[in-house]
Amino acid sequence: MRSVRTRRGLIAVVALLATAAAPAPKPESGGVDARTADYVFSYSWPAQVEAIPALRAHLAADQAEQKRTLAGEAAEARRAAAADPDLRFVPYTLEVEWQVVTDLPGWLSLSQRNSHFEGGAHPNSGFDSRVWDRKAGRALAPMDLFVSAKALDDALRGPFCDSLDRERAVRRGEPVNRASGDDFDACIAPSEQTLILGSTDRKHFNRIGILVSPYAAGPYAEGSYDITVPVTPAVLQAVKPEFRATFGP
């Protein structure tokens, strides 16, 4: 009888140790999906965001605001269509997806891609970005880490526009003439696009991505552009002093 009790006791101890040694479940991604007669809405973020309550709350507030705006605009469009026989209402659509650009010891860099349709000829798309300062517990726009838009443009414009022109030439099948007077040939300001901060060493921000939405650098058919440039000494000079240790070549 004692041997049976002993075996049972050992089994219980082993089960308890196995439970204690088991890793905690990893956070899952978060967000919401909603579908009504007026609209289709989805908004998501990765597990890294779900693991930071304050950042999750920040994006959840943005999610609620965007859903509220979409619902109001779609309802207004439905009422307008009901009052005008020449109008046809099509449910609105908004899809927002946040992704991790890089996860550093003190920072989490995120990019957002969104697609929206409001009954026009085609859907439209765009971008957004944030960096989460783990020490301060706050979300910042990447531009907040730089002295000014002008300082950043002065440091980035040359390499950015050269890379953009090479990509535009590939898509168009001919070189880009910046002196043509056509807005779609112009060298646009990097600071007016969506900036994302990346890293190859997982220690510093040493890459800057510039996400260019359709129509900003070319016709809709060309789509968006994703240009990456390195952090150079000139770029470092454009970073606010308190953040320079976060950046590196």
Side-chain angles (χ1 to χ4, degrees):
M1 187 68 175
R2 181 177 297 175
S3 62
V4 172
R5 291 176 178 173
T6 301
R7 286 198 299 272
R8 288 176 178 172
L10 288 173
I11 292 172
V13 170
V14 170
L16 180 61
L17 290 174
T19 301
K26 294 182 178 179
E28 298 181 353
S29 57
V32 68
D33 290 287
R35 180 184 295 269
T36 73
D38 286 350
Y39 63 84
V40 176
F41 175 74
S42 68
Y43 191 113
S44 64
W45 54 73
Q48 289 91 330
V49 170
E50 194 72 10
I52 305 173
L55 177 54
R56 183 191 186 282
H58 174 79
L59 293 189
D62 181 61
Q63 167 195 285
E65 178 60 29
Q66 294 217 38
K67 183 181 177 184
R68 186 162 46 247
T69 299
L70 176 68
E73 292 177 349
E76 183 178 348
R78 178 180 285 280
R79 289 192 294 269
D84 187 342
D86 293 330
L87 295 178
R88 175 176 173 269
F89 175 74
V90 177
Y92 281 20
T93 299
L94 175 59
E95 298 175 349
V96 178
E97 180 182 14
W98 287 94
Q99 296 180 331
V100 172
V101 179
T102 192
D103 192 344
L104 304 184
W107 298 82
L108 181 65
S109 176
L110 301 169
S111 68
Q112 181 218 98
R113 293 178 181 266
N114 61 74
S115 176
H116 48 98
F117 178 67
E118 299 171 355
H122 52 69
N124 289 304
S125 59
F127 305 101
D128 200 353
S129 60
R130 297 283 192 285
V131 286
W132 180 256
D133 183 341
R134 297 183 189 277
K135 183 177 180 180
R138 59 176 177 168
L140 300 171
M143 194 65 230
D144 293 336
L145 278 63
F146 295 92
V147 174
S148 67
K150 182 182 184 305
L152 185 61
D153 284 340
D154 288 346
L156 289 183
R157 192 185 294 270
F160 164 68
C161 286
D162 288 346
S163 296
L164 176 62
D165 281 354
R166 285 193 292 271
E167 183 62 30
R168 289 195 288 198
V170 169
R171 299 188 190 186
R172 298 174 188 181
E174 60 183 12
V176 175
N177 176 14
R178 293 184 193 170
S180 69
D182 189 327
D183 288 345
F184 288 159
D185 292 337
C187 177
I188 60 179
S191 65
E192 294 178 1
Q193 316 311 311
T194 299
L195 304 178
I196 58 174
L197 302 183
S199 175
T200 58
D201 65 5
R202 303 295 294 272
K203 297 177 182 179
H204 307 91
F205 291 132
N206 59 13
R207 295 290 184 273
I208 299 179
I210 300 99
L211 305 179
V212 183
S213 299
Y215 293 122
Y220 179 83
E222 283 185 11
S224 60
Y225 288 91
D226 184 347
I227 306 297
T228 300
V229 295
V231 171
T232 62
V235 173
L236 280 174
Q237 289 302 307
V239 178
K240 291 179 179 177
E242 62 266 34
F243 298 122
R244 282 180 188 160
T246 306
F247 288 75

